[in-house]
Amino acid sequence: MIAIGCDHGGFELKQAIMAHLTERGDSFHDYGTYTSESCDYPKYAKLVAKAVASGECSCGILICGTGIGVSITANKIPGIRAALCGDCFSAEATRLHNDANILALGARVTGEGLALKIVDTFLDTPFSQDERHIRRISQIEGD
Ligand code: RB5
């Protein structure tokens, strides 16, 4: 189950991503916001991050205008590795190297066509399981 959420800046792109996930056959839970009315991104970033951190959802997708606010917020939740990606190389690398569990996108920065390719890359790339990457990830929240 994929957790997805956005603020007003990401609302339209979230609709396109949800349609794309449905086409792919991926199940998702939409944590809001549910309209394009102005709202505060931390609320939705925390809902998605907590759903992923608790194991309720296996990964998440967060969208705001820049992707920055939602990624900063999500990364405050222990266990969350949220990666703001504007290209497919980064989306692939953050899965392979960082085992990122949330993809953040900036709807005012990244067009829909590219954003959907980034989503595919993020969801279809497994973690490398390389020892050096496991060690580095453990150091993120360790000493
Ligand atoms: C909303 O105007 C905008 O600040 C928000 O979507 C996001 O870009 C924040 O980082």
Side-chain angles (χ1 to χ4, degrees):
M1 178 72 72
I2 299 165
I4 189 163
C6 68
D7 72 353
H8 55 288
F11 178 73
E12 274 187 33
L13 181 56
K14 188 184 71 176
Q15 302 304 114
I17 292 172
M18 291 193 300
H20 185 65
L21 293 177
T22 300
E23 268 178 34
R24 282 174 48 102
D26 292 324
S27 50
F28 59 87
H29 183 95
D30 179 9
Y31 286 87
T33 184
Y34 303 112
T35 73
S36 54
E37 197 176 318
S38 182
C39 63
D40 299 334
Y41 61 80
K43 172 181 174 181
Y44 304 100
K46 285 181 186 177
L47 285 172
V48 166
K50 287 177 180 174
V52 174
S54 70
E56 192 180 324
C57 291
S58 55
C59 67
I61 300 173
L62 280 167
I63 313 121
C64 65
T66 59
I68 297 171
V70 289
S71 56
I72 290 173
T73 307
N75 278 317
K76 298 281 185 192
I77 306 297
I80 292 303
R81 294 178 299 282
L84 171 56
C85 296
D87 62 89
C88 293
F89 181 89
S90 300
E92 182 181 44
T94 199
R95 288 292 307 126
L96 290 170
H97 294 203
N98 315 122
D99 197 15
N101 49 17
I102 292 184
L103 169 66
L105 292 163
R108 295 176 184 155
V109 182
T110 306
E112 181 182 312
L114 175 56
L116 298 183
K117 292 278 184 202
I118 292 170
V119 166
D120 286 342
T121 304
F122 185 85
L123 295 178
D124 295 339
T125 305
F127 176 50
S128 65
Q129 300 290 348
D130 285 349
E131 188 279 329
R132 69 186 189 285
H133 294 311
I134 293 172
R135 182 181 70 242
R136 291 165 189 161
I137 290 165
S138 73
Q139 291 170 2
I140 293 174
E141 292 197 40
D143 292 326

